[in-house]
Amino acid sequence: MIDRERRLVERRIRAARFPAVKCLDTFDFAAIPSLNKMLVLELARCGYILGRENVIALGNSGTGKTHIALALGLAACQKGFSVTFIATASLVNQFLEARDERRLLRLQRELAAVKLLIVDELGYVPLSPTGAELLFEVFSQRYERGLTVVTSNLPFEDWTSVLGSERLTGALLDRLTHHVSILSLNGDSYRLRSSRNRRGRADGRAEQNQATAGHDPGTGAITPT
Ligand code: ADP
Ligand code: MG
């Protein structure tokens, strides 16, 4: 039975099409103090899926929104829920393709049926009016049926710039935020910081090597910057 359960979890993970498998164990909460850690841990227990609450992660680029969304998705797979992870731009592209191939309804039904839909990166690319309407329909069809996790680099007041119409943005936000947990990730980009740290450590090592040249080479401890 354990083996069967493990295979089911693996199948759900494959079906979710995560671009990478990430979990909360590798997330450094200290790096992003604006993020409510207790709320994230609670969400990872997946109660929100049964309580039908959406999750919106907002914050600038590189602050860990996708990482958190992936970790919540993984937790949901492990707890037995079906998950689909997709970037906003490719979701809209899939819709447009499906519409041209006259299988829009099928795709809409598939997306409405999944327990947890993760829509990543809303905000990087402005959508065409049709794209925005199709996205709106996804949220609308899932409303109070399945859960949606959305990540965005834009605060709500700027969503109109992506969705085009103020009316549509209002209606979409209305549905999305009726039952919602909002995660705010505001801070320095973790990507930038870690590459800066790597560079810093490399420089430090070079200095240390110079300093210890001719002395005991065994004490070249590297102090993190
Ligand atoms: P965003 O989606 O907000 O642009 P990502 O989640 O893609 O940012 O994060 C960028 C990279 O940095 C990823 O590889 C992610 O795993 C890592 N990362 C970001 N924040 C943290 C953190 N607090 N702890 C560990 N890794 C992090
Ligand atoms: Mg991201």
Side-chain angles (χ1 to χ4, degrees):
M1 265 176 70
I2 291 173
D3 213 43
R4 187 169 164 269
E5 182 50 38
R6 192 179 47 79
R7 277 201 307 275
L8 281 175
V9 170
E10 278 167 9
R11 193 180 306 163
R12 277 182 224 115
I13 292 173
R14 270 197 306 276
R17 293 199 217 102
F18 298 125
V21 175
K22 303 230 172 177
C23 61
L24 290 183
D25 295 346
T26 59
F27 192 80
D28 176 13
F29 283 94
I32 183 92
S34 74
L35 180 62
N36 183 340
K37 178 179 176 181
M38 294 318 287
L39 178 57
V40 174
L41 296 181
E42 192 195 310
L43 292 173
R45 287 197 287 274
C46 295
Y48 72 107
I49 296 178
L50 302 170
R52 309 260 155 113
E53 213 171 287
N54 294 321
V55 177
I56 304 181
L58 299 175
N60 44 306
S61 176
T63 48
K65 299 180 298 296
T66 300
H67 189 135
I68 292 286
L70 286 167
L72 292 180
L74 183 66
C77 287
Q78 287 164 340
K79 292 244 158 53
F81 301 105
S82 57
V83 180
T84 293
F85 184 104
I86 191 154
T88 308
S90 57
L91 177 66
V92 169
N93 281 337
Q94 280 192 22
F95 269 130
L96 294 173
E97 259 177 50
R99 201 189 47 163
D100 292 347
E101 292 164 17
R102 298 180 171 280
R103 46 178 183 81
L104 184 59
L105 265 175
R106 189 165 14 124
L107 181 62
Q108 282 177 328
R109 253 188 245 127
E110 274 167 28
L111 283 173
V114 69
K115 206 74 206 155
L116 175 63
L117 177 70
I118 303 175
V119 179
D120 196 30
E121 296 194 343
L122 189 136
Y124 285 111
V125 189
L127 303 175
S128 66
T130 320
E133 260 166 53
L134 289 168
L135 186 69
F136 169 75
E137 269 179 48
V138 185
F139 293 144
S140 197
Q141 285 164 352
R142 294 182 59 73
Y143 178 59
E144 298 205 318
R145 288 214 279 158
L147 271 298
T148 311
V149 172
V150 178
T151 81
S152 177
N153 60 314
L154 296 178
F156 291 135
E157 58 267 28
D158 294 345
W159 281 30
T160 312
S161 67
V162 176
L163 297 163
S165 131
E166 212 160 284
R167 192 181 44 82
L168 189 78
T169 307
L172 184 143
L173 279 176
D174 198 45
R175 281 159 184 75
L176 208 53
T177 60
H178 184 188
H179 309 285
V180 74
S181 291
I182 294 176
L183 301 173
S184 99
L185 293 91
N186 285 305
D188 293 340
S189 161
Y190 193 89
R191 277 189 209 107
L192 271 180
R193 190 159 16 152
S194 56
S195 67
R196 228 184 274 137
N197 278 351
R198 270 197 305 278
R199 230 177 302 133
R201 270 202 297 279
D203 293 349
R205 214 172 302 148
E207 279 162 27
Q208 198 117 31
N209 285 346
Q210 270 177 356
T212 53
H215 304 288
D216 179 11
T219 55
I222 302 158
T223 40
T225 46

